[in-house]
Amino acid sequence: MGASMLTATIAFPAESTEPPNFDRGRQLLEAITDASLFTFDEPEVELEELLPDLDGESDLVDENGEVLIEYARRAGLVIINNLEKALDSRETTYLTVADYRLYISGGLANGDTPTNATQAIWDAYKLPESVLLAMGFIPDYEQPFAHANSRGASVPLTDTDVVDAIALGLGTSPEWPGTDTLKWIAEAIGKVRDEPGNAEPVVYLKRWSERYGFDPLSSQFLSVYIVEEIGKAGEEESED
């Protein structure tokens, strides 16, 4: 029987010194008057799941099928409470990529329901975007992480930023003027790695291996890019 991986993510600014402001979201929720700002796929089913204490005979939607604002707000409050609890639980972790702090939850599922934290993050996107923004979240973070710096944000460059810069530099150059080209490539790489040329080749190889705790000579891919005599010297030095 196969298993699938379920994941849920929500983004927050990596540079923020304050945690998500859930109270601000709750306050704004009370001011929302347009229920269409909530994005319920199956309103009645989802509201009953979020509000299990509802009277089964209650009308949750109007004659046009629109969710009644009273129930939308109540469900929104449950969503915020669940999200706050989820992000503070052991079911959730986070990683920082470019200028995003990505909260992540999930796991293997064999037809079972997702974890509470996973469901809580998925449910967060049912809230009005203004409420997510008020709490500090970034609702739409589909822009490639490598382009974070394109917005002028003062965030660390990623490896992909540098690869993109080199590809554009070479691809838009009518000619490659030899050593000058190598020099600016080395300078670009120096923004995310030890700059090539700042140490003797064997020393550079050793420093790289120590910094990343990995011997590039053991990699079928990376070893191809190491000058053969330098690679042999590196192997001899490691044996000593």
Side-chain angles (χ1 to χ4, degrees):
M1 187 176 192
S4 58
M5 175 66 76
L6 299 173
T7 59
T9 61
I10 191 165
F12 193 75
E15 73 275 9
S16 177
T17 58
E18 299 293 330
N21 193 326
F22 296 101
D23 286 339
R24 189 183 300 154
R26 295 183 185 99
Q27 291 169 5
L28 181 58
L29 192 64
E30 292 302 313
I32 298 291
T33 58
D34 184 358
S36 69
L37 296 176
F38 293 81
T39 55
F40 296 108
D41 295 320
E42 299 180 74
E44 292 184 273
V45 173
E46 292 169 63
L47 288 175
E48 288 177 355
E49 290 176 349
L50 290 164
L51 305 170
D53 58 337
L54 282 176
D55 182 345
E57 298 179 1
S58 297
D59 290 326
L60 305 178
V61 298
D62 61 20
E63 61 275 11
N64 298 316
E66 292 289 339
V67 177
L68 297 177
I69 191 61
E70 172 194 351
Y71 296 113
R73 285 196 196 120
R74 285 176 57 185
L77 184 60
V78 171
I79 290 172
I80 293 175
N81 292 343
N82 288 345
L83 182 63
E84 181 176 20
K85 185 185 301 182
L87 299 192
D88 192 41
S89 76
R90 296 178 63 183
E91 292 181 0
T92 303
T93 187
Y94 73 83
L95 58 85
T96 301
V97 185
D99 58 347
Y100 301 107
R101 182 192 308 160
L102 281 181
Y103 291 97
I104 303 172
S105 185
L108 292 174
N110 295 288
D112 299 326
T113 57
T115 65
N116 290 335
T118 304
Q119 188 64 57
I121 293 174
W122 285 339
D123 286 344
Y125 293 99
K126 298 172 185 177
L127 293 168
E129 185 171 302
S130 59
V131 174
L132 285 172
L133 290 170
M135 292 188 288
F137 294 107
I138 304 171
D140 181 7
Y141 57 96
E142 294 182 357
Q143 182 177 18
F145 294 139
H147 300 162
N149 295 280
S150 301
R151 298 195 296 275
S154 178
V155 297
L157 289 171
T158 66
D159 294 356
T160 311
D161 284 318
V162 173
V163 172
D164 285 344
I166 292 173
L168 286 168
L170 294 176
T172 60
S173 295
E175 59 183 28
W176 301 349
T179 56
D180 287 342
T181 299
L182 290 176
K183 185 174 185 297
W184 73 254
I185 289 175
E187 290 174 349
I189 291 172
K191 296 180 183 299
V192 292
R193 293 287 187 275
D194 285 344
E195 186 170 325
N198 68 356
E200 290 297 318
V202 174
V203 174
Y204 187 91
L205 177 62
K206 180 180 179 182
R207 184 187 298 169
W208 195 102
S209 302
E210 291 175 346
R211 179 175 180 180
Y212 299 104
F214 172 73
D215 181 3
L217 292 168
S218 68
S219 165
Q220 185 175 1
F221 173 73
L222 293 177
S223 60
V224 174
Y225 295 89
I226 299 172
V227 175
E228 186 174 358
E229 58 265 29
I230 302 304
K232 289 180 179 178
E235 288 178 339
E236 292 170 0
E237 186 170 303
S238 64
E239 290 173 0
D240 294 341

